């Protein structure tokens, strides 16, 4: 970092100027009071709607944060691109996509629906993510029990995050499991259609899925994860090669087309950057070869995306030329 600074080779040369813009967007979005905090479990319902944080990490490790960026939240659906990435890396896209599609579902994230091949539409919705958990559980190191597989997964998440703060929220895990009628219905529905690889223990798969949703991190850490994806799978903080570039390309392609629930098409049109949101109000934004951004604000719009987060993305591409096209 220091030698680059002396050579003036930063990916964002005018860092102070850039972060000033980020601050401006932050304050502008802060006044947005639209949306409702997720209420399907008490731990999320209790979240303060005022929380608002933005963290940026460039592929050369420059970092900036403003607002509530050190308060942990659960990853929820932001874990979906990560588990998908691990599955691609360990199993190859050919194997993974025998079981899950690449098409936006055009439906809600937890809808009881499979595509015309009787596969879940994509790995970014609940059905697809549950399926990915079954692949990780049964096809990747099948000798591992659930406890070992939890450690294996968390280790991956930590390496993506440059070994920064990453935890697990047991209360959220237990609540998710209690309030999971729809997810269980999806799980059984997929078993009825033989969607899983052989020998799948559904109870274990569902627990594993809820555990991934209940992993916990703050904006600063999630921005590093987004930056690792922006950097082709090499963590900008540790310089460790965590994922293959091909796996990352596939993850970003599906974040682009399917990452923002049933708003993905409009988001791809207006913002044009791969992103993934989760019900705790987090939003991962990946600007390939430039930077990762995480925004966090619990109030959600009717489709389930963070209101301030979506507004922030729109402000960002209005000012900077980050739209892919
Ligand atoms: O399984 C669920 O419904 C929640 N734990 C996660 C939902 C979420 O963030 C939505 N995802 N696409």
């Amino acid at each position: 970092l220091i030698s680059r600074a002396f050579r003036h080779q930063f990916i964002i040369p005018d860092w102070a100027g850039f972060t000033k813009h980020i601050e401006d967007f932050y304050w502008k979005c802060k006044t947005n009071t639209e949306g409702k905090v997720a209420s399907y479990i008490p731990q999320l319902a209790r979240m303060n709607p005022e929380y608002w944080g933005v963290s940026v990490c460039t592929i050369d490790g420059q970092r900036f944060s403003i607002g509530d960026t050190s308060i942990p939240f659960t990853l929820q659906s932001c874990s979906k691109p990560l588990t998908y990435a691990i599955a691609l890396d360990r199993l190859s896209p050919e194997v993974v996509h025998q079981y899950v599609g690449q098409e936006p579902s055009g439906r809600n994230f937890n809808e009881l629906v499979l595509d015309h091949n009787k596969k879940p539409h994509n790995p970014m919705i609940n059905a697809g993510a549950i399926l990915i958990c079954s692949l990780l559980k049964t096809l990747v190191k099948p000798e591992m029990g659930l406890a070992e597989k939890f450690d294996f997964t968390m280790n991956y998440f930590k390496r993506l995050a440059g070994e920064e703060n990453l935890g697990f929220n047991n209360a959220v895990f237990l609540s998710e499991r209690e309030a999971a009628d729809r997810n269980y219905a999806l799980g059984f529905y997929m078993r009825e259609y033989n969607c899983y690889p052989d020998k799948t223990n559904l109870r274990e798969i569902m627990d594993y899925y809820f555990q991934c949703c209940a992993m916990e991190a703050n904006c600063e850490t999630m921005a590093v994860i987004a930056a690792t994806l922006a950097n082709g799978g090499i963590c900008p903080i540790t310089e460790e090669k965590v994922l293959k570039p091909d796996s990352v390309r596939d993850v970003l392609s599906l974040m682009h087309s399917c990452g923002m629930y049933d708003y993905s098409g409009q988001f791809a049109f207006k913002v044009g950057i791969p992103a993934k949101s989760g019900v705790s109000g987090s939003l991962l934004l990946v600007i390939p070869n430039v930077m990762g951004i995480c925004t966090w604000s619990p109030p959600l719009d009717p489709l389930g995306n963070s209101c301030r987060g979506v507004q922030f993305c729109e402000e960002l591409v209005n000012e900077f030329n980050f739209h892919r096209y």
Side-chain angles (χ1 to χ4, degrees):
L1 201 74
I2 290 169
S3 73
R4 277 208 185 133
F6 281 121
R7 282 180 280 137
H8 299 286
Q9 282 178 348
F10 282 127
I11 192 95
I12 305 280
D14 179 14
W15 186 242
F18 177 73
T19 57
K20 177 74 182 64
H21 281 287
I22 299 288
E23 277 185 34
D24 290 347
F25 307 150
Y26 173 87
W27 292 111
K28 205 163 167 190
C29 299
K30 195 176 170 70
T31 60
N32 182 343
T33 53
E34 284 164 34
K36 285 206 175 67
V37 175
S39 58
Y40 71 103
I41 55 171
Q43 289 73 17
L44 288 180
R46 280 199 292 270
M47 276 288 167
N48 181 348
E50 297 294 319
Y51 284 148
W52 172 224
V54 176
S55 291
V56 180
C57 175
T58 65
I59 58 161
D60 47 10
Q62 298 203 81
R63 301 179 69 172
F64 175 76
S65 285
I66 179 165
D68 302 308
T69 55
S70 50
I71 299 172
F73 48 81
T74 49
L75 266 51
Q76 297 294 350
S77 286
C78 285
S79 66
K80 291 176 166 82
L82 312 185
T83 48
Y84 173 49
I86 303 171
L88 287 170
D89 224 63
R90 291 289 177 142
L91 296 170
S92 83
E94 290 73 26
V95 171
V96 170
H97 287 290
Q98 282 170 27
Y99 297 93
V100 57
Q102 290 131 326
E103 212 60 63
S105 69
R107 311 285 279 270
N108 277 335
F109 63 91
N110 61 358
E111 204 138 317
L112 198 62
V113 63
L114 297 173
D115 69 12
H116 53 271
N117 299 311
K118 291 289 175 264
K119 294 182 200 174
H121 284 82
N122 67 68
M124 303 296 159
I125 54 175
N126 289 15
I130 293 168
L131 200 286
I132 293 291
C133 284
S134 83
L135 301 184
L136 289 176
K137 180 70 182 65
T138 11
L139 302 183
V140 178
K141 297 190 180 280
E143 71 284 1
M144 286 184 170
L146 202 54
E148 292 282 306
K149 198 46 70 73
F150 175 86
D151 280 342
F152 168 89
T153 310
M154 191 176 219
N155 264 326
Y156 251 106
F157 286 15
K158 281 189 178 163
R159 287 161 56 213
L160 289 165
E163 308 291 339
E164 298 203 7
N165 300 323
L166 213 131
F168 174 72
N169 187 323
N170 193 43
V172 169
F173 163 68
L174 294 170
S175 277
E176 291 280 347
R177 194 162 60 171
E178 286 306 303
D181 289 349
R182 175 58 66 90
N183 282 323
Y184 280 112
L186 283 169
F188 281 108
Y189 186 56
M190 290 193 286
R191 194 163 75 180
E192 180 190 357
Y193 284 101
N194 298 314
C195 294
Y196 303 111
D198 288 349
K199 290 185 295 186
T200 290
N201 175 333
L202 192 54
R203 188 193 56 77
E204 280 192 348
I205 300 305
M206 298 307 294
D207 276 359
Y208 183 29
Y209 168 77
F210 302 135
Q211 285 163 359
C212 292
C213 290
M215 299 279 192
E216 199 172 53
N218 60 28
C219 265
E220 289 164 30
T221 302
M222 293 306 279
V224 178
I225 292 183
T228 301
L229 295 176
N231 199 29
I234 300 172
C235 175
I237 305 302
T238 59
E239 300 195 337
E240 184 189 349
K241 187 175 181 305
V242 187
L243 296 168
K244 297 175 191 148
D246 288 2
S247 311
V248 174
R249 187 192 61 191
D250 291 347
V251 172
L252 297 183
S253 302
L254 293 190
M255 285 170 69
H256 182 91
S257 56
C258 313
M260 296 294 285
Y261 309 107
D262 204 17
Y263 186 70
S264 301
Q266 284 180 77
F267 190 87
F269 184 83
K270 286 192 200 167
V271 177
I273 304 170
K276 183 76 197 89
S277 60
V279 280
S280 54
S282 53
L283 199 161
L284 285 182
L285 198 62
V286 179
I287 305 171
N289 303 314
V290 183
M291 68 177 81
I293 300 180
C294 176
T295 70
W296 177 56
S297 162
L300 310 175
D301 65 22
L303 291 171
N305 295 310
S306 164
C307 293
R308 292 192 187 106
V310 170
Q311 188 192 344
F312 177 89
C313 297
E314 292 179 359
E315 303 283 351
L316 182 74
V317 292
N318 282 343
E319 185 69 34
F320 295 100
N321 226 344
F322 289 143
H323 194 299
R324 300 291 281 157
Y325 312 105

